[in-house]
Each structure stands twice: as structure tokens, then as C-alpha cells.
Amino acid sequence: FADFAEYKYFLRKENSFGILLNQPKSYPSGVATSLQFQLSNSELEPQTELTQNHGAFVHAVIFGQGSLTQDHLHPTFSGKPGVWETTHTFPSAGKYLIALDFNIRNQTITELFPITVTGDDVIEPKYTERFIDEHDGYTLTLRKNPIYAKYLSTLTVDIQKDGKPVTNLTPYLNSVMHVTGVDNNLLHYFHGHGYIPENQFLQFLTG
């Protein structure tokens, strides 16, 4: 920055927002569905000054309440000013949350869109407390660190393969770990990134 005034201008509060276009009363399950998002600035004009963040300009994270699914999509520019689009197939009927993230300068803007998906394959929500997960030969263990509401907490994950710590993680979208979370009612959402301390387990701070 040329001077402090320019830096201060860069940090100015951003009032852009996003909406989900053409939102029906419900979406069908098992069918590829088009999702379009209109991004606008405070003057209600198409927002075109996006900043790329973690390898993409727009992130859409979709949570399924009944199926306990999560999908992370990157909408692409539609060709229409301010409009970004993607396609998604909802696996089952139920309640979903679409969390939309985009960046203007150094500020992340998040919009939440709760939606309903209809179909014959309704899955009732079933939540179980789980601290160990197996995936492609890797074992992920979430340490039982104390977590308190409204206070900064640390999540620690140990990753092993064949009983040995994994130390050669490769960054994906500029981070070795992405963490997303949503509450049971699909009302609150967070997306953050972990880091590797010296002793090679992953940590993530949440508050």
C-alpha cells in the first residue's frame, strides 16, 4: 500500500450480499439441479470485484440434515454480471443448508440458505457422537478436548496410516485441513482451516 490512507480504504467495511435465485418451494432429490447465486454490492449493483480465496472466488457448502452429508462446490461465473452457478444432486429428501462464501478484499461474506428437498427417500436425522473415522486406509482421531460455547476452543486431529503418524500432507485449496460445521437445526455454520504444529497433529481454533 502506498500509505496508511490507502490501507484504511482497503479495510473499509463491505456491505455486499448474495441471494439464491429462482428458489422454488422445494427441490427434487436424485436429480441434477441448477443453483444460481446473485452477488450484489451495497448499491444493489452486480458485485464483480471478488477476491479469490482458497483457490476459488465462490464457495458453496451444502449440508444435509437427514443424510448427514456435506458437499463443497465452487460455483463458476455464468456470464451474467454478478451471477455464479453450479449443479448439485441432492441425495435424499429432507432439510438442507446451502452456505455461500465469497470474499471482497480481505473480508469473507457468508450467506445461509435453508432449503427443502422432496422425494420418496426421506431420511430421519440420526446423530451419533463419533471421534474416529476411517477413510482410504487413513485413521482420523478427534481428541476429546474441552469445547465450550462462545469461547475459543481447539480441535485436534491425529492422522495415522498403518499405525504411523502421517506427516506428508499436501495442501488442498491452499490449506492442509478444511473444517466445516453446522448445528443440528441448520441455523449456524462455520468454515475454517487447520495448521500443523511441530508434533505433527492438526489443530483448528474455533470460537
Side-chain angles (χ1 to χ4, degrees), residues 83-96:
V83 178
W84 295 73
E85 61 185 4
T86 188
T87 300
H88 182 65
T89 300
F90 297 98
S92 62
K95 301 293 184 181
Y96 287 79

Side-chain angles (χ1 to χ4, degrees), residues 154-197:
T154 300
L155 301 179
T156 304
V157 180
D158 293 291
I159 303 178
Q160 294 188 344
K161 187 172 186 180
D162 300 326
K164 298 179 181 180
V166 175
T167 60
N168 60 341
L169 296 178
T170 301
Y172 172 72
L173 295 179
N174 303 325
S175 179
V176 294
M177 181 173 72
H178 297 259
V179 179
T180 55
V182 66
D183 65 0
N184 293 352
N185 297 319
L186 302 182
L187 297 176
H188 301 92
Y189 151 86
F190 73 85
H191 178 196
H193 306 94
Y195 64 94
I196 305 177

Side-chain angles (χ1 to χ4, degrees), residues 37-54:
F37 305 93
Q38 173 73 59
L39 309 184
S40 303
N41 60 26
S42 58
E43 304 298 324
L44 304 183
E45 300 170 339
Q47 178 55 268
T48 59
E49 299 179 358
L50 302 184
T51 303
Q52 191 176 63
N53 184 39
H54 287 281

